[in-house]
Amino acid sequence: MTRTVVASRSKTVIIGFDQPFCVIGERINPTGRKKLAAELEMGDFSTVEKDALDQVAAGAAILDINSGAVFSNKMAEDARYADNNFVEPALMKEMVERVQALVDVPLCIDSSVPGALENGLKAAEGRPLLNSVTGEEERLELVLPLVKKYDVPVVAISNDDTGISEDPDVRFAVAKKIVERAADFGIPAHDIVVDPLVMPIGAMATAGQQVFALVRRLREELGVNTTCGASNISFGLPNRHGINNAFLPMAAAAGMTSAIMNPLQAAATPKKIAERIAELEALGVVFPEGIDPEVLVPLIGLGSAKAGPSKEIEAIKAADFLLNNDPSGAAWIRFNKVAGGDEGARGARDGRRSRRRG
Amino acid sequence: MTRTVVASRSKTVIIGFDQPFCVIGERINPTGRKKLAAELEMGDFSTVEKDALDQVAAGAAILDINSGAVFSNKMAEDARYADNNFVEPALMKEMVERVQALVDVPLCIDSSVPGALENGLKAAEGRPLLNSVTGEEERLELVLPLVKKYDVPVVAISNDDTGISEDPDVRFAVAKKIVERAADFGIPAHDIVVDPLVMPIGAMATAGQQVFALVRRLREELGVNTTCGASNISFGLPNRHGINNAFLPMAAAAGMTSAIMNPLQAAATPKKIAERIAELEALGVVFPEGIDPEVLVPLIGLGSAKAGPSKEIEAIKAADFLLNNDPSGAAWIRFNKVAGGDEGARGARDGRRSRRRG
């Protein structure tokens, strides 16, 4: 039975076929989050810290820490900041230190910059997951020695020097090559977590079937755990959560054991709350001054005034139960108590959904 | 490629491995619906007709018609009404006639009473599905001749004279026996839709895994389509929809091709609306007289004032897309337009769910 052991200072998380699906929280990542990148540039780690707390509360077992920030203002003053080899190592160190000072969950050290990977490995307590190696020669030679030196598990992404193949057999072969190359370094297969690469079904109709078949094969033939960037599957489509919520249980049933994903349902924004109030006021409803948004928001169908677990987390918890990785449904019952009070049970009876009350 | 052909007067539905998952609407069934049974006893078919229209609008491809009503008042006056062999044949005929006068979808004739099955088969236009035969000797001898005579497909439930086995190998063997016995009657395997029997995971921890393994085996070894009473899986648990929403895509990924299920999300009840208004009034919110519930209900988080598609339908539509049985996602995009306006797309972007506006 394949078991990938990841640990923080005092907590161990096992990724494995007989374990609950491992949610790796993706939010601490300045790539594509301009506001977060700008905060980090000013030395403001408040969003990082809030995302750490919120994601763990929502059900993330591991937190991904990606240091890929571009410091545009500093770059204008000092040319060294144009080089991520200069920016990321120090940033990674500080992000890791701040996050693990706040939450006791294993981390996933995520960067394309070797110095950032090594700084993350140095700073992280316990046994972090490294993210990532690919089948590219340069990357193999660079990352696998780090994996060996620090004795950590690593995410292996199934692309190589020829890019990302649309042929799942090629992606399987790349994964196999990485596992074999790792073995040459003395790294066991159970420390490789393969990302078979999830394509958007909007662009490739067979993308879902490819993943399910690949995961099954990776598990049966290579005996490795698997992960993916789950939300890729729904890229460009309407109601992305609807696709993701079905994809994750299907992937878990095929044997996928973890995913890098957003565990959070965002809080209702002040703009959204104001819009909804305006819609109701247009019907003649009158709101008093100073109403508490935390109480109001769930009552006007906007979820919660605080970030809570996403529907994807609900789908994963249900899949755990359905795959007998949640003995007696204890985690399911606990999740629905926390997430919806007894609204969960009531919602089921009268045909509606549970709603988090913050 | 196994194809079970079912038809109404003018519409053909194919149940098959390369087809969208076939939703068989379960609502027209007085068993356990006292109010509906009482209406039927008084010759009132308005709920049947409403359920027919609502289920088809919500996405049911086939409508199950179950005549299992108990006419308690008539029974007191006339002892013959204590016998369902007396009650059901006439009731089935009228239900079938009324439903097919209203909607042009194939029917599933569902009764434990032979006379009701035959009356349903006589009354139904096109090629209905018969529900059901089991592995019980008496039932095989009784139902298979009807299946042959009327040249219809049949649901085959995997229990026999020894009851329902908890051993999936026994349930597979029962299904195999039914398929073989049907062959003796000249009924091909593609006209048998096997229900492998779904146990509640709350009572049997391996129930989900059993179904997934059985469905795969039934498909690979017997080449048959499969169905199930989907909601059984979550019996007795909190947030049943959360379990069902994950179960259906997982079952579809394992190869299940149809389910007998509730496609409807119930309309918000007047009681629920009044409660929500009272909660808001307690915060000082003032509602005007005569506000239109159809406009109000979606704005106070209660879904819709009219019945609409359940979240299970959304999960199935997503699974169709993910299994490449929805070319270009056309049905997914149409569903999200109809179900949520452009709210679906917006909901995905800002991390919340689409909401039907009625």
Side-chain angles (χ1 to χ4, degrees):
Chain A
M1 190 54 84
T2 301
R3 290 172 170 237
T4 305
V5 177
V6 195
S8 62
R9 181 172 55 253
S10 76
K11 268 199 193 135
T12 298
V13 169
I14 295 169
I15 306 174
F17 306 151
D18 59 349
Q19 299 292 317
F21 193 87
C22 179
V23 174
I24 304 171
E26 73 180 11
R27 292 295 293 158
I28 303 179
N29 185 344
T31 319
R33 289 181 79 186
K34 274 191 180 173
K35 195 164 158 281
L36 175 58
E39 283 177 18
L40 294 174
E41 185 164 12
M42 296 186 301
D44 173 1
F45 289 83
S46 57
T47 298
V48 167
E49 291 175 342
K50 186 174 182 320
D51 282 345
L53 291 168
D54 284 348
Q55 288 184 101
V56 171
I62 295 176
L63 293 183
D64 190 83
I65 312 281
N66 181 304
S67 54
V70 176
F71 286 175
S72 335
N73 293 322
K74 289 192 173 170
M75 214 189 289
E77 294 161 18
D78 184 339
R80 288 178 305 170
Y81 282 94
D83 181 2
N84 265 41
N85 288 295
F86 179 76
V87 172
E88 288 197 40
L91 180 61
M92 178 61 89
K93 180 172 186 288
E94 182 148 16
M95 287 169 98
V96 165
E97 287 172 353
R98 284 182 180 260
V99 169
Q100 70 190 0
L102 213 57
V103 291
D104 186 17
V105 300
L107 303 181
C108 177
I109 308 298
D110 182 4
S111 177
S112 56
V113 169
L117 291 180
E118 183 138 25
N119 263 14
L121 290 170
K122 278 183 195 157
E125 299 173 291
R127 191 172 198 247
L129 178 62
L130 199 62
N131 190 5
S132 59
V133 69
T134 68
E136 296 161 292
E137 277 306 318
E138 196 191 20
R139 196 81 187 164
L140 285 164
E141 292 304 318
L142 200 141
V143 175
L144 292 180
L146 282 179
V147 171
K148 181 63 186 169
K149 179 177 169 191
Y150 288 90
D151 181 27
V152 290
V154 65
V155 173
I157 303 182
S158 308
N159 65 299
D160 64 10
D161 297 286
T162 64
I164 298 175
S165 174
E166 293 199 355
D167 179 348
D169 289 342
V170 172
R171 300 217 297 283
F172 179 83
V174 172
K176 194 167 176 219
K177 180 181 85 171
I178 301 173
V179 170
E180 286 167 355
R181 194 68 73 84
D184 295 342
F185 281 85
I187 300 159
H190 66 245
D191 273 341
I192 314 285
V193 181
V194 172
D195 179 345
L197 283 164
V198 170
M199 312 288 185
I201 44 168
M204 188 196 284
T206 56
Q209 293 173 300
Q210 275 194 6
V211 174
F212 306 143
L214 258 170
V215 164
R216 204 175 294 278
R217 217 177 142 197
L218 288 163
R219 175 172 175 157
E220 284 168 9
E221 294 182 34
L222 301 185
V224 291
N225 279 307
T226 44
T227 195
C228 69
S231 64
N232 274 3
I233 194 78
S234 60
F235 182 78
L237 293 170
N239 188 7
R240 293 188 64 176
H241 287 288
I243 305 271
N244 300 346
N245 294 347
F247 172 71
L248 284 161
M250 291 165 93
M256 191 171 277
T257 44
S258 72
I260 300 174
M261 55 178 278
N262 186 359
L264 293 174
Q265 169 155 343
T269 59
K271 179 164 173 276
K272 200 79 199 170
I273 299 170
E275 281 172 7
R276 177 57 53 90
I277 287 174
E279 283 180 283
L280 284 159
E281 284 175 342
L283 299 178
V285 177
V286 179
F287 289 84
E289 288 291 316
I291 196 164
D292 179 1
E294 281 199 34
V295 182
L296 178 65
V297 163
L299 300 178
I300 54 174
L302 294 178
S304 172
K306 283 184 180 171
S310 59
K311 280 291 171 190
E312 282 88 339
I313 292 287
E314 178 178 289
I316 283 169
K317 298 263 176 202
D320 284 343
F321 196 178
L322 287 159
L323 294 170
N324 198 16
N325 290 328
D326 173 12
S328 311
W332 176 255
I333 290 162
R334 201 164 52 240
F335 174 76
N336 282 288
K337 274 205 182 118
V338 174
D342 61 352
E343 183 85 1
R346 270 195 280 138
R349 275 201 299 278
D350 64 20
R352 279 170 303 97
R353 304 298 306 274
S354 66
R355 177 160 309 285
R356 190 174 177 281
R357 285 175 183 272
Chain B
M1 189 56 85
T2 301
R3 289 171 171 237
T4 306
V5 177
V6 195
S8 62
R9 180 172 57 251
S10 75
K11 269 198 192 137
T12 298
V13 169
I14 295 168
I15 306 174
F17 305 152
D18 59 348
Q19 300 292 318
F21 193 88
C22 179
V23 174
I24 305 171
E26 72 180 9
R27 293 295 292 159
I28 303 179
N29 185 343
T31 320
R33 289 181 79 185
K34 273 194 183 171
K35 196 164 157 283
L36 174 58
E39 282 177 19
L40 294 174
E41 184 163 12
M42 295 187 299
D44 174 0
F45 289 83
S46 56
T47 298
V48 167
E49 291 175 341
K50 187 174 182 321
D51 282 344
L53 290 167
D54 284 349
Q55 289 185 101
V56 171
I62 295 176
L63 293 183
D64 190 83
I65 311 281
N66 180 304
S67 54
V70 175
F71 287 174
S72 337
N73 293 323
K74 290 194 172 170
M75 215 189 290
E77 294 161 21
D78 183 340
R80 288 178 305 170
Y81 282 95
D83 182 2
N84 265 41
N85 288 295
F86 178 76
V87 173
E88 289 198 40
L91 180 61
M92 177 62 87
K93 180 171 186 290
E94 181 148 16
M95 289 169 98
V96 166
E97 286 171 353
R98 284 183 179 259
V99 169
Q100 71 190 1
L102 212 57
V103 291
D104 186 17
V105 299
L107 303 181
C108 177
I109 308 298
D110 183 4
S111 177
S112 56
V113 169
L117 292 180
E118 184 139 24
N119 263 13
L121 290 171
K122 278 184 195 159
E125 299 173 291
R127 192 174 198 245
L129 178 61
L130 198 62
N131 191 3
S132 57
V133 69
T134 68
E136 296 161 292
E137 277 307 318
E138 194 192 19
R139 195 82 186 162
L140 285 164
E141 292 305 318
L142 199 141
V143 176
L144 292 180
L146 282 179
V147 171
K148 181 61 186 169
K149 177 177 172 191
Y150 289 89
D151 181 29
V152 291
V154 65
V155 173
I157 304 182
S158 307
N159 66 298
D160 65 8
D161 296 287
T162 64
I164 299 176
S165 173
E166 294 199 354
D167 179 348
D169 289 340
V170 172
R171 299 218 296 284
F172 178 82
V174 172
K176 194 167 176 223
K177 180 181 86 171
I178 300 173
V179 169
E180 286 167 353
R181 194 68 72 85
D184 294 342
F185 280 85
I187 300 160
H190 66 246
D191 273 340
I192 314 285
V193 180
V194 172
D195 179 345
L197 283 165
V198 170
M199 312 287 186
I201 42 169
M204 189 196 284
T206 56
Q209 292 174 300
Q210 275 195 4
V211 174
F212 307 144
L214 258 171
V215 164
R216 204 175 294 280
R217 220 179 139 195
L218 288 163
R219 175 171 174 157
E220 285 168 9
E221 295 182 34
L222 301 186
V224 292
N225 279 308
T226 43
T227 196
C228 69
S231 65
N232 273 4
I233 195 77
S234 60
F235 181 80
L237 293 169
N239 189 7
R240 293 187 64 177
H241 287 289
I243 304 271
N244 299 347
N245 295 346
F247 172 71
L248 283 161
M250 293 165 93
M256 191 171 278
T257 45
S258 71
I260 301 173
M261 53 178 280
N262 185 359
L264 293 174
Q265 170 155 345
T269 59
K271 178 162 175 274
K272 200 78 199 172
I273 299 169
E275 280 172 7
R276 178 57 52 90
I277 287 175
E279 283 180 282
L280 284 158
E281 283 176 341
L283 299 177
V285 178
V286 179
F287 288 84
E289 289 289 318
I291 197 162
D292 179 2
E294 281 200 34
V295 182
L296 177 66
V297 163
L299 300 178
I300 53 174
L302 294 179
S304 172
K306 284 185 182 170
S310 60
K311 282 289 170 192
E312 282 87 340
I313 292 287
E314 178 179 290
I316 282 169
K317 298 262 177 202
D320 284 342
F321 196 178
L322 287 160
L323 294 171
N324 198 17
N325 291 328
D326 173 12
S328 312
W332 177 255
I333 290 162
R334 201 164 52 240
F335 174 76
N336 282 288
K337 274 205 181 115
V338 173
D342 60 353
E343 183 86 2
R346 271 196 279 135
R349 276 201 299 281
D350 64 19
R352 280 171 303 97
R353 303 298 304 273
S354 66
R355 180 161 307 287
R356 191 175 176 278
R357 284 177 183 271

